[in-house]
Structure formats: C-alpha cells, structure tokens
Amino acid sequence: MPDVVGLGVEAAQAASVIKVLQYDITDLDVDIIVNAANTSLLGGGGVDGAIHHAAGPELREACKKLGGCPTGEARITPGFRLKAEWIIHAVGPVWYGGGKGEPQLLDSCYRSAFHLALETKARSIAFPCISTGIYRYPKEDAARIALKVMHEYEKDFRSIVACCFDAENAVIYRKLSGPGGQEEDDL
Ligand code: APR
C-alpha cells in the first residue's frame, strides 16, 4: 500500500479499501458477497432473492443443511454460479423503532460476517445495505453502523465494497465515507 500522505486526494481515493458502489451485488467480481438473509436462510425477496436466483438452486440446498441462523449472526456457503467464491448470509434486525437492540444486532451482523470472511483467504468482500429494505432500518443509522465496522476490518482486506442498489443509500454512504468512497476503481 503506497504511503498516501502527500500524494493528494486522488491517491488517497485510490488507496481507500472501502469503496461505495451503486450496483447489483450479484454482478460484482469479488471473493465474498454478503447476503441480507432471513433467519430461515431459504431465500426471500430483495437482495436475498437476487442472490439465490443468480447463484442457482444449489444454494438453497446448501442453506437447507445450515438449519437457519439467528438475527445478528451469519453463515457461509459457496457462491455456486456467482463470480464470488463465497456467500456470507448475514441476518440483520427488523426495525421496530430502535428500542429492541436493533443497533447492537446490526453491528453484530456485520461483525459476524467479517469473522467468517477472515476464516477464508478472501481479499475482497461486498456488502448490501443490510436491513434497510424490507426490514425498514433507517438508512443513515444503518450506514453509520456498517461503515464503523468496515473501518475496523480495513487492514484485513484489499477491498471492502458497500454495494448500494438505490441512489438514496449511495448518497448516504458517499457522504459518510468521505473522499475514499467516491472511487469506483477495480475491486
Ligand atoms: N444488489 C445490491 N443490493 C440490493 C439488491 C441487489 N441486487 N437488491 C436489493 N438490494 C438492496 C435494497 O435496495 C436494500 O438497500 O439491499 C438492501 C437490503 O434490502 P432487502 O433485500 O430488502 O433486505 P433487508 O432489508 O435486510 O430485509 C431482509 O428481506 O429479502 C428478504 O429474505 C429477506 O426476509 C429477508 C428480508
């Protein structure tokens, strides 16, 4: 990693491990794709549905053997037909107003995904904006939690992608992640 001090913002952007993209996560060529799953791990709508569709039927068969996953935790499977070698299924909290431990569960969800990722040789990982769709977690609050955990693991990866699907999340992540988040270079 070049010493970015004094090399200017462009170099700092290029050197940023954390990248914000507005993209379909199933098309990303990264080592690990994280899924916003539910506790059954058997698929659903949103990004869960997109990942299961793109990965193919073997994914559901593999997930059946996992026996579900509690909220705030994560499980890992192969990526099957995806470019990604692995899929980490992370179960975020449903938003009930913030008084039912949602922030701690969302933090735990990202942390659990990173703990599993560190057990592989992965160097690049992409996250959707977990819990901010069907689970209705406020987008900016969720982004702050996600980025805080991502920064803790920057040293362990070449690339950590916050993969936004909607423009609202992309604007929020870019605002919160600073100049490094503008870069859309190679993963
Ligand atoms: N690529 C990247 N992000 C996506 C994609 C995609 N192809 N499709 C949707 N998203 C985004 C949504 O826009 C949202 O910002 O993923 C984020 C998470 O939204 P959901 O997929 O609705 O997930 P979540 O809010 O965590 O709710 C999980 O929804 O799909 C079901 O089975 C899932 O029950 C679980 C629940």
Side-chain angles (χ1 to χ4, degrees), residues 36 43-50 134:
V47 69
D48 195 7
I134 293 166

PDB file of all heavy atoms in Angstrom, residues 36 43-50 134:
ATOM      1  N   ALA A  36     -28.227 -10.223   2.560  1.00  0.00           N
ATOM      2  CA  ALA A  36     -29.126  -9.785   3.641  1.00  0.00           C
ATOM      3  C   ALA A  36     -30.224 -10.833   3.738  1.00  0.00           C
ATOM      4  O   ALA A  36     -31.243 -10.767   3.045  1.00  0.00           O
ATOM      5  CB  ALA A  36     -29.712  -8.408   3.342  1.00  0.00           C
ATOM      6  N   GLY A  43     -33.986 -18.051   1.434  1.00  0.00           N
ATOM      7  CA  GLY A  43     -34.293 -17.120   0.347  1.00  0.00           C
ATOM      8  C   GLY A  43     -35.487 -16.240   0.685  1.00  0.00           C
ATOM      9  O   GLY A  43     -36.182 -16.433   1.681  1.00  0.00           O
ATOM     10  N   GLY A  44     -35.685 -15.261  -0.185  1.00  0.00           N
ATOM     11  CA  GLY A  44     -36.792 -14.312   0.060  1.00  0.00           C
ATOM     12  C   GLY A  44     -36.845 -13.334  -1.088  1.00  0.00           C
ATOM     13  O   GLY A  44     -36.556 -13.697  -2.235  1.00  0.00           O
ATOM     14  N   GLY A  45     -37.169 -12.091  -0.770  1.00  0.00           N
ATOM     15  CA  GLY A  45     -37.214 -11.087  -1.826  1.00  0.00           C
ATOM     16  C   GLY A  45     -35.904 -10.317  -1.851  1.00  0.00           C
ATOM     17  O   GLY A  45     -34.840 -10.859  -1.523  1.00  0.00           O
ATOM     18  N   GLY A  46     -35.979  -9.056  -2.226  1.00  0.00           N
ATOM     19  CA  GLY A  46     -34.822  -8.155  -2.177  1.00  0.00           C
ATOM     20  C   GLY A  46     -33.524  -8.778  -2.659  1.00  0.00           C
ATOM     21  O   GLY A  46     -33.497  -9.570  -3.592  1.00  0.00           O
ATOM     22  N   VAL A  47     -32.459  -8.393  -1.985  1.00  0.00           N
ATOM     23  CA  VAL A  47     -31.128  -8.876  -2.416  1.00  0.00           C
ATOM     24  C   VAL A  47     -31.011 -10.388  -2.186  1.00  0.00           C
ATOM     25  O   VAL A  47     -30.337 -11.092  -2.944  1.00  0.00           O
ATOM     26  CB  VAL A  47     -30.003  -8.104  -1.694  1.00  0.00           C
ATOM     27  CG1 VAL A  47     -29.931  -8.430  -0.210  1.00  0.00           C
ATOM     28  CG2 VAL A  47     -28.654  -8.339  -2.361  1.00  0.00           C
ATOM     29  N   ASP A  48     -31.731 -10.889  -1.184  1.00  0.00           N
ATOM     30  CA  ASP A  48     -31.735 -12.342  -0.906  1.00  0.00           C
ATOM     31  C   ASP A  48     -32.254 -13.089  -2.133  1.00  0.00           C
ATOM     32  O   ASP A  48     -31.654 -14.054  -2.612  1.00  0.00           O
ATOM     33  CB  ASP A  48     -32.632 -12.593   0.311  1.00  0.00           C
ATOM     34  CG  ASP A  48     -32.448 -13.962   0.932  1.00  0.00           C
ATOM     35  OD1 ASP A  48     -31.536 -14.698   0.512  1.00  0.00           O
ATOM     36  OD2 ASP A  48     -33.217 -14.290   1.848  1.00  0.00           O
ATOM     37  N   GLY A  49     -33.360 -12.610  -2.659  1.00  0.00           N
ATOM     38  CA  GLY A  49     -33.939 -13.241  -3.850  1.00  0.00           C
ATOM     39  C   GLY A  49     -33.005 -13.142  -5.039  1.00  0.00           C
ATOM     40  O   GLY A  49     -32.819 -14.110  -5.794  1.00  0.00           O
ATOM     41  N   ALA A  50     -32.369 -11.992  -5.196  1.00  0.00           N
ATOM     42  CA  ALA A  50     -31.464 -11.794  -6.345  1.00  0.00           C
ATOM     43  C   ALA A  50     -30.259 -12.727  -6.250  1.00  0.00           C
ATOM     44  O   ALA A  50     -29.834 -13.319  -7.256  1.00  0.00           O
ATOM     45  CB  ALA A  50     -31.008 -10.332  -6.381  1.00  0.00           C
ATOM     46  N   ILE A 134     -36.662  -4.310   3.165  1.00  0.00           N
ATOM     47  CA  ILE A 134     -37.882  -4.886   3.760  1.00  0.00           C
ATOM     48  C   ILE A 134     -37.883  -4.755   5.284  1.00  0.00           C
ATOM     49  O   ILE A 134     -38.916  -4.567   5.909  1.00  0.00           O
ATOM     50  CB  ILE A 134     -38.000  -6.377   3.322  1.00  0.00           C
ATOM     51  CG1 ILE A 134     -38.264  -6.440   1.804  1.00  0.00           C
ATOM     52  CG2 ILE A 134     -39.061  -7.135   4.109  1.00  0.00           C
ATOM     53  CD1 ILE A 134     -38.074  -7.804   1.193  1.00  0.00           C
TER      54      ILE A 134
END
